[in-house]
């Protein structure tokens, strides 16, 4: 598009190309599709220098580790799936804030 000479004859074509590019950018940001959980999602505001997430089997100590490292309260019990929501916390390590 940058090399195309701009005049009355090419303006319509350039407009169509710009519209197509805008549509493709929108689809990259918000992909359309019928699949998905349909359940309630969650959102955590991004802070700090890096973000990590704990993934693992139930009742292996993810919430206990987060509570001890970050100093935030996360419910801990002897049964599986105790923590049902996201619990954000910030750990400071060598001057870096890790969420």
């Amino acid at each position: 598009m940058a090399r195309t000479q701009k005049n009355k004859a090419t303006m319509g074509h350039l407009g169509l190309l710009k519209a197509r590019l805008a549509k493709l950018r929108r689809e990259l940001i918000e992909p359309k599709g019928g699949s998905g959980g349909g359940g309630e999602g969650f959102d955590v505001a991004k802070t700090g220098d890096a973000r990590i997430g704990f993934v693992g089997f139930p009742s292996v100590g993810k919430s206990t580790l987060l509570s001890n490292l970050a100093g935030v309260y996360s419910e801990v019990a002897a049964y599986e799936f105790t923590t049902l929501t996201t619990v954000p916390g910030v750990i400071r390590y060598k001057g870096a804030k890790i969420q």
Side-chain angles (χ1 to χ4, degrees):
M1 278 184 5
R3 295 186 308 173
T4 304
Q5 200 174 36
K6 293 182 179 144
N7 57 43
K8 289 180 184 178
T10 60
M11 290 308 289
H13 179 67
L14 289 174
L16 291 174
L17 290 175
K18 287 180 183 179
R20 189 178 303 164
L21 281 173
K23 179 182 173 189
L24 291 173
R25 281 192 193 110
R26 261 194 317 273
E27 287 178 4
L28 279 176
I29 294 171
E30 297 176 8
K32 60 180 179 178
S35 64
E40 193 172 311
F42 58 88
D43 190 19
V44 177
K46 295 179 180 179
T47 60
D49 299 314
R51 282 161 287 288
I52 61 170
F54 295 143
V55 178
F57 292 107
S59 301
V60 294
K62 297 181 297 290
S63 295
T64 304
L65 179 65
L66 177 66
S67 297
N68 290 335
L69 290 177
V72 297
Y73 175 74
S74 178
E75 189 175 351
V76 178
Y79 55 91
E80 295 180 349
F81 304 109
T82 306
T83 307
L84 298 176
T85 60
T86 304
V87 180
V90 176
I91 302 167
R92 285 177 172 67
Y93 180 73
K94 292 186 180 181
K97 289 190 222 176
I98 302 171
Q99 180 184 26

